[in-house]
Amino acid sequence: MSKLAGMEGSASRVLLRAVELDGAARLAEALVCYQEGIQLLLDVLKATTDEAKKEKYRERIGEYMDRAEEIKKHVQLEKEAGKYHEQIHIAAGSVGNSYGRLFKPYIDQTLTEIMNFLRFCELLVKSDCQVRRIHLTTGEEEGPRQEEQKGRLGGLGESLQQYGISLEVQYSHTLHDREIRFSNGWIIKIGRGLDIFRPTKGQFQIGFCDYDLRECHETTVDIFHNKHLKTSTHGDVSS
């Protein structure tokens, strides 16, 4: 397969995923895929010398750009009206639901603070957002596990400081909601909290390292947007 054919194949796969997500009304995720797919097609266009093919690529790019713009405007209007709500159902045993896939559409350069773990924090460190504070509300362990819990969170806090991010931990004995709140207005509620992945049968199993390939427990993910969200609001996650 030629390099150009490989590039076109990659663009087609991403755009096919965008159309699937669009059809399932997972608009924020679809928008990200449309944008990524359009950029891949633009790269193909630049590398193509056949004028007839170039014209076809331009038509496809135009169609996908129009749809992406429609979605962007729709999501923005829903956000402004405080009506945005999207629900994702994760089937038992399904794969392709890593934190990167689930949260990437809502982590952008306007995100500066997260309220309400190791892999989730790693996702934030690698993203383009400007997060400087993470506020975690969690239940407190009892007995010997209490010191272990505090030691782990303390170690994570020290590690995050190397990236200019502070971790604030608040313990609650009445915690019941499991949600993540972003300072850019996105609120994500997960039925199981961040504990959505099934353990693999061993360290040498597909999915042990790549969580896109890790099977999931069944749960639902509800996504809302609140333009009036204040950064002082506490968010919760169970650990």
Side-chain angles (χ1 to χ4, degrees):
M1 179 185 294
S2 68
K3 182 179 179 181
L4 185 59
M7 293 168 60
E8 185 175 7
S10 296
S12 295
R13 285 190 292 273
V14 174
L15 289 167
L16 177 60
R17 178 62 175 162
V19 173
E20 290 174 349
L21 290 167
D22 194 349
R26 294 168 63 171
L27 300 183
E29 292 174 275
L31 180 59
V32 170
C33 287
Y34 276 126
Q35 291 169 337
E36 291 179 354
I38 289 168
Q39 184 56 57
L40 289 170
L41 266 187
L42 285 170
D43 293 339
V44 173
L45 177 63
K46 291 176 183 177
T48 302
T49 57
D50 187 311
E51 288 301 323
K53 287 186 176 181
K54 278 192 170 187
E55 186 58 34
K56 289 182 179 180
Y57 289 140
R58 290 191 187 99
E59 290 178 4
R60 289 180 63 191
I61 290 169
E63 291 172 359
Y64 288 127
M65 288 183 71
D66 287 345
R67 180 53 185 158
E69 189 61 29
E70 288 177 3
I71 292 175
K72 190 174 182 179
K73 289 180 179 178
H74 174 77
V75 170
Q76 188 60 38
L77 287 173
E78 292 286 290
K79 285 164 60 178
E80 290 295 326
K83 297 178 180 179
Y84 187 90
H85 175 220
E86 183 176 332
Q87 185 176 84
I88 300 169
H89 177 256
I90 298 177
S94 64
V95 298
N97 300 297
S98 67
Y99 293 154
R101 289 277 184 91
L102 288 174
F103 301 130
K104 185 177 179 180
Y106 317 104
I107 299 176
D108 55 29
Q109 293 182 349
T110 66
L111 177 59
T112 58
E113 180 177 350
I114 294 181
M115 299 144 291
N116 234 336
F117 166 115
L118 178 58
R119 292 188 179 278
F120 186 69
C121 291
E122 288 173 337
L123 170 66
L124 298 172
V125 168
K126 293 191 297 182
S127 71
D128 294 329
C129 63
Q130 303 297 314
V131 170
R132 290 293 173 261
R133 183 171 79 98
I134 299 175
H135 185 105
L136 171 68
T137 304
T138 186
E140 188 172 23
E141 299 286 359
E142 297 180 353
R145 296 184 63 183
Q146 185 179 90
E147 288 302 315
E148 181 181 352
Q149 180 189 35
K150 291 183 177 179
R152 288 178 175 176
L153 290 175
L156 177 57
E158 292 176 5
S159 181
L160 284 167
Q161 284 179 354
Q162 298 177 30
Y163 296 91
I165 302 173
S166 65
L167 173 63
E168 300 176 3
V169 181
Q170 176 182 351
Y171 295 101
S172 171
H173 297 289
T174 58
L175 180 66
H176 55 89
D177 288 337
R178 298 180 176 186
E179 64 182 29
I180 301 165
R181 288 176 176 252
F182 295 157
S183 62
N184 57 8
W186 291 108
I187 303 171
I188 301 174
K189 298 187 177 185
I190 310 175
R192 294 184 58 90
L194 291 174
D195 180 27
I196 64 174
F197 301 108
R198 290 179 174 178
T200 58
K201 295 179 180 178
Q203 295 183 8
F204 297 98
Q205 299 286 318
I206 296 298
F208 181 79
C209 297
D210 189 340
Y211 275 57
D212 270 325
L213 301 174
R214 178 75 69 90
E215 291 187 354
C216 292
H217 296 291
E218 183 174 9
T219 190
T220 55
V221 181
D222 285 282
I223 302 157
F224 304 88
H225 188 274
N226 181 358
K227 67 176 181 178
H228 303 297
L229 180 66
K230 297 180 179 179
T231 56
S232 60
T233 303
H234 288 177
D236 305 324
V237 62
S238 291
S239 64

